[in-house]
């Protein structure tokens, strides 16, 4: 009976560990980066989290400025809006990929949804066939993720940025391993710096 009870307790305490699967890869300057193995993929998903001293409206304006967001998006060479339709948008991005990997580009379908607390989510879905492939670029074949902006107090929001991609073609392991940590960290750092500089303007 005692062994059975101990086994049950062990199973109960083990559930959260297996349910999460996210491992902390970096924590610095108020930004946390987590990584997760994805079944059937050789590329890890990433999740970045931080708080920003700005309200949700400031973040929303910066994210909807498609061309301007290259200022803070990690490895963004250029970006343009392809189509806007209500709460949906399609954008084209050229990615500054380190040598020796071939240059990448991606097309992302973004869906904006308000949250009851005054925040919002931006669901990200790759749309690789929306336009013909560009000469000299390898199209990112899959992309799934989201932004979630949640107010935590007046003038402060929690920002979560989660993405998993299949970059297409061959990519050296060291580039992949560096990208999944640098992308959320540098993106959130850049967004936070710009957003906080806009407060009060």
């Amino acid at each position: 009976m005692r062994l059975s009870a101990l086994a049950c307790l062990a199973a109960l305490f083990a559930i959260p560990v297996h349910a999460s699967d996210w491992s902390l890869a970096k924590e610095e300057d108020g930004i946390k980066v987590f990584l997760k193995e994805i079944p059937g993929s050789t590329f890890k998903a990433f999740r970045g989290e931080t708080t920003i001293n700005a309200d949700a409206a400031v973040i929303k304006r910066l994210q909807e400025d498609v061309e301007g967001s290259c200022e803070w998006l990690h490895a963004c060479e250029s970006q343009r809006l392809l189509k806007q339709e209500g709460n949906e948008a399609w954008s084209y991005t050229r990615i500054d990929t380190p040598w020796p990997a071939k240059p990448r580009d991606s097309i992302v379908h973004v869906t904006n949804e308000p949250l009851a607390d005054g925040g919002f989510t931006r669901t990200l879905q790759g749309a690789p066939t929306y336009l013909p492939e560009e000469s000299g670029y390898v199209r990112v074949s899959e992309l799934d993720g989201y932004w979630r902006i949640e107010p935590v107090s007046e003038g402060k929001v929690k920002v979560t940025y989660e993405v998993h991609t299949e970059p297409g073609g061959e990519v050296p392991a060291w580039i992949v391993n560096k990208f999944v940590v640098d992308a959320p960290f540098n993106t959130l750092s850049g967004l936070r710096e710009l957003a906080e500089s806009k407060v009060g303007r």
Side-chain angles (χ1 to χ4, degrees):
M1 290 287 290
R2 181 177 297 174
L3 287 173
S4 178
L6 287 172
C8 289
L9 281 172
L12 284 172
F13 282 111
I15 288 172
V17 175
H18 295 298
S20 173
D21 293 331
W22 289 98
S23 59
L24 183 65
K26 183 172 184 175
E27 183 174 6
E28 185 180 316
D29 195 25
I31 300 172
K32 292 182 180 180
V33 175
F34 301 87
L35 300 180
K36 181 179 181 178
E37 300 281 352
I38 301 298
S41 175
T42 57
F43 303 98
K44 294 180 181 180
F46 65 71
R47 175 191 290 167
E49 298 176 351
T50 194
T51 56
I52 296 179
N53 293 314
D55 60 33
V58 171
I59 308 298
K60 192 169 188 289
R61 285 197 299 271
L62 291 176
Q63 293 196 333
E64 289 180 346
D65 178 6
V66 176
E67 291 186 13
S69 60
C70 252
E71 182 178 345
W72 49 268
L73 276 172
H74 176 73
C76 181
E77 179 184 299
S78 64
Q79 187 164 257
R80 70 180 190 269
L81 180 66
L82 299 175
K83 184 179 180 180
Q84 179 81 46
E85 199 171 77
N87 68 334
E88 297 180 77
W90 288 258
S91 62
Y92 172 80
T93 306
R94 286 186 171 177
I95 302 159
D96 186 10
T97 312
W99 184 90
K102 292 181 179 179
R104 259 59 181 180
D105 64 2
S106 69
I107 299 173
V108 180
H109 175 206
V110 182
T111 305
N112 291 281
E113 296 291 345
L115 298 175
D117 60 5
F120 62 92
T121 61
R122 288 167 60 84
T123 304
L124 312 174
Q125 181 71 50
T129 61
Y130 187 88
L131 288 178
E133 293 188 11
E134 297 274 347
S135 177
Y137 287 84
V138 176
R139 181 68 45 85
V140 171
S141 59
E142 294 180 32
L143 186 150
D144 293 282
Y146 68 86
W147 285 91
R148 184 167 61 241
I149 314 301
E150 304 168 280
V152 293
S153 62
E154 186 175 355
K156 179 178 283 190
V157 293
K158 177 183 177 181
V159 180
T160 304
Y161 175 42
E162 183 177 318
V163 170
H164 174 253
T165 62
E166 294 290 339
E170 295 183 2
V171 184
W174 70 266
I175 291 180
V176 174
N177 294 334
K178 192 171 189 301
F179 183 86
V180 292
V181 175
D182 288 353
F185 185 86
N186 293 339
T187 294
L188 288 172
S189 180
L191 176 61
R192 183 179 62 189
E193 182 179 355
L194 186 58
E196 292 183 352
S197 75
K198 301 289 185 182
V199 174
R201 291 188 181 181

